[in-house]
Amino acid sequence: MSTIIAGHFQTQEEIDRARSELVGAGFREDHISGFFVNQPGQHDMTPIGGDNLQSPGAKETPEGVLEGAAAGGAVGLAIGAATSVITGPVGPIVGGLVGAHVGSLYSFSKMKEKGEAEEGGENRAEPRKPGMLLAVALADGGQEQRVLEVMRDLGAHHIERAEGSIVDGDWVDFDPLSTPRIIT
């Protein structure tokens, strides 16, 4: 593994130009990787697609639905039983079903707002930005400043430092879900 410096560019042409500039500055072509990073949620990391089997903000939803359905069902059953003189034997059944449905909607009150912390957890750091990414594996620490100069001069943004391996122009251990360590 080596230190990797990666920067975002707007277009494929900018990636190609940056690659040429870096090779001209003495970096090996097989230690440079250019590729597109998808939007969060679109990395096809699970068997059914996407990044997670369950939406991170929805982990309390099943409990909320069950709590609401149980409470609503009990209230509806009680109201149905109290009105069974008028409604007959179907009153408690219908009351319980309607109450369970209305109570299950209670789970919406447990939904999180964007950016709100998970219960018992911390907010996740800013995810990696989607777009064209050019990464360079450094042979030694002295090359970092030169890579940063070239990338900044060519308009790279969200430049990050990572650890990994670029083999034959492919960042083989790149994790699109990892939290980037932004330099500039």
Side-chain angles (χ1 to χ4, degrees), residues 32-51:
I32 302 171
S33 180
F35 54 94
F36 185 81
V37 179
N38 288 333
Q39 294 277 349
Q42 298 180 359
H43 296 110
D44 201 25
M45 305 286 283
T46 67
I48 60 171
D51 295 345

Side-chain angles (χ1 to χ4, degrees), residues 35-37 128 133 160 165 171-178:
F35 54 94
F36 185 81
V37 179
R128 181 172 278 107
L133 187 70
E160 62 182 88
S165 300
W171 188 349
V172 294
D173 50 2
F174 175 73
D175 179 7
L177 301 180
S178 65

Side-chain angles (χ1 to χ4, degrees), residues 1 4-5 23 33 46 54-56 78 90 112 138 141 149 159:
M1 288 187 45
I4 294 177
I5 302 298
V23 169
S33 180
T46 67
Q54 182 178 9
S55 179
V90 295
K112 299 191 177 353
L138 305 180
E149 287 172 11
I159 299 175

